[in-house]
Amino acid sequence: RRSPVIAVARGVTLDRLAAIKVIHEQMALDPSFQARFQKEARAAASLSHPNIVTIYDFLEAGEQGSIVMEYIDGPDLSLRVAEHGPLSAEAAAGVGREIALALSAAHRRGILHRDVKPSNILVDPEGRARLTDFGSAKLEGLSSVTGTGTLVGTLDYLAPEVVAGTRGDARADVYALGMTLYF
């Protein structure tokens, strides 16, 4: 499976940087992946929180879809740890607090992230943690785009009840955050 490509662009009119997440051409032909990609854009765009990457727009050109989002000039948490080693207890607590606030905002809107992990947490130049990649998100009360029996998320961060096939809820996101902080 090929992942979407992230590119950086500068807007002509407003002269600001944006990140553009583009569906890989082969994945654009898969209607379920295209639907999931659009769902990510809608779910994330409905959220406004200082610890969630802002979505600006969803663009379509034929079969190709792109999400235009806020550019965060900083590494994801997995890269940060790989380059500089584990966070201090104080820094980890700060990341945990900020992502917990982001998840709380999403959960209040009925949105489950379902893939909280270090690579989906960006750290901006001021050190603020920002949750991104709502590609596995589920809106409570709505049917999922993924197939029945399909695990959604990254195995190392999935709550045991999700791995066992029980429907996950907001607690599974909190569990994934705990595993991320352990990382």
Side-chain angles (χ1 to χ4, degrees):
R1 174 176 226 180
R2 303 217 175 171
S3 299
V5 175
I6 303 286
V8 178
R10 181 172 298 281
V12 177
T13 306
L14 299 178
D15 191 35
R16 74 174 167 191
L17 289 177
I20 302 174
K21 185 175 184 178
V22 181
I23 294 179
H24 190 277
E25 286 180 45
Q26 292 175 339
M27 298 309 295
L29 300 175
D30 177 355
S32 68
F33 189 85
Q34 181 81 320
R36 187 171 157 188
F37 198 68
Q38 289 177 10
K39 184 176 78 165
E40 173 188 356
R42 277 191 223 95
S46 73
L47 300 171
S48 176
H49 191 275
N51 298 108
I52 297 175
V53 173
T54 301
I55 300 298
Y56 297 140
D57 206 352
F58 181 82
L59 307 172
E60 288 183 286
E63 298 290 322
Q64 201 72 29
S66 303
I67 298 173
V68 181
M69 65 186 101
E70 177 182 16
Y71 172 71
I72 305 300
D73 186 17
D76 67 50
L77 192 56
S78 64
L79 183 59
R80 161 61 183 81
V81 169
E83 291 179 349
H84 302 286
L87 301 178
S88 68
E90 183 179 289
V95 167
R97 179 183 182 283
E98 290 174 341
I99 298 306
L101 290 169
L103 288 171
S104 178
H107 295 161
R108 280 192 308 273
R109 299 284 313 259
I111 298 171
L112 305 175
H113 188 280
R114 301 195 316 170
D115 199 20
V116 177
K117 60 185 177 183
S119 62
N120 285 339
I121 297 172
L122 302 176
V123 182
D124 71 19
E126 291 78 38
R128 182 173 40 156
R130 310 288 295 278
L131 185 61
T132 191
D133 196 357
F134 280 75
S136 298
K138 177 165 183 1
L139 284 82
E140 289 184 323
L142 297 179
S143 62
S144 177
V145 175
T146 57
T148 302
T150 302
L151 277 180
V152 176
T154 302
L155 191 55
D156 288 346
Y157 300 92
L158 288 177
E161 63 273 16
V162 174
V163 174
T166 304
R167 180 183 294 271
D169 57 22
R171 294 171 292 186
D173 278 350
V174 173
Y175 177 91
L177 175 57
M179 294 303 294
T180 296
L181 295 175
Y182 178 77
F183 165 84

